[in-house]
Every structure is written in C-alpha cells, then in structure tokens.
C-alpha cells in the first residue's frame, strides 16, 4: 500500500458505513485508493476493538471478562 493517495478521504469506523461490495472488488483486483483506505480503516478499527476486548478480559468483571475471552477466541 505504498502508493496510497494521502489526499484521499479517510474512512469512518465500519459501524457508520457498510460497503458490501468491498471484498468482491478487492478479490477481482478492482480496488483503488478508496478501497485501500477502507481496508486501512477496518484494520485500525479492529485493532482498537481487540485491545478493548483484551482490556475487558483482564480487568472486567467475571461475566464481561468471559464474554470478551470468548469473542477474542471466536467462540459463538
């Protein structure tokens, strides 16, 4: 992603906008600067989400900690 246009609009967290066609465009090699920005935003948001869950798993009450641990482990 070294060729990302820094003047392109930044993305918002995925809870504010959902681009259902993003994965398909990327899989087909049709992604551009906007798609790269969306992926950057998603990865940054997911990193913050994971850090929050880790904090809850360590410092939360028993029920919240167990839910955070299960979420981090991918257990439904």
């Amino acid at each position: 992603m070294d060729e990302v246009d820094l003047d392109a609009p930044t993305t918002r967290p995925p809870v504010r906008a959902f681009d259902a066609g993003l994965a398909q465009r990327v899989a087909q090699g049709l992604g551009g600067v906007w798609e790269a920005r969306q992926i950057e935003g998603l990865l940054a948001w997911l990193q913050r989400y994971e850090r929050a869950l880790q904090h809850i798993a360590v410092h939360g009450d028993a029920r919240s900690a167990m839910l955070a641990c299960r979420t981090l482990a991918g257990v439904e």
Side-chain angles (χ1 to χ4, degrees):
M1 289 214 268
D2 295 323
E3 300 177 19
V4 174
D5 180 8
L6 297 177
D7 295 326
T10 57
T11 59
R12 300 278 182 228
V15 293
R16 296 191 182 195
F18 180 72
D19 185 352
L22 176 64
Q24 184 178 7
R25 286 193 308 279
V26 171
Q28 294 173 349
L30 301 174
V33 172
W34 176 245
E35 285 77 11
R37 289 291 188 170
Q38 285 182 301
I39 292 168
E40 284 177 338
L42 285 167
L43 291 174
W45 188 84
L46 288 170
Q47 287 173 339
R48 289 191 303 271
Y49 181 72
E50 184 176 10
R51 281 195 306 269
L53 286 175
Q54 288 171 345
H55 180 83
I56 293 167
V58 172
H59 303 288
D61 61 56
R63 186 168 186 236
S64 298
M66 182 50 93
L67 178 59
C69 287
R70 292 174 59 86
T71 301
L72 285 167
V75 177
E76 301 267 340

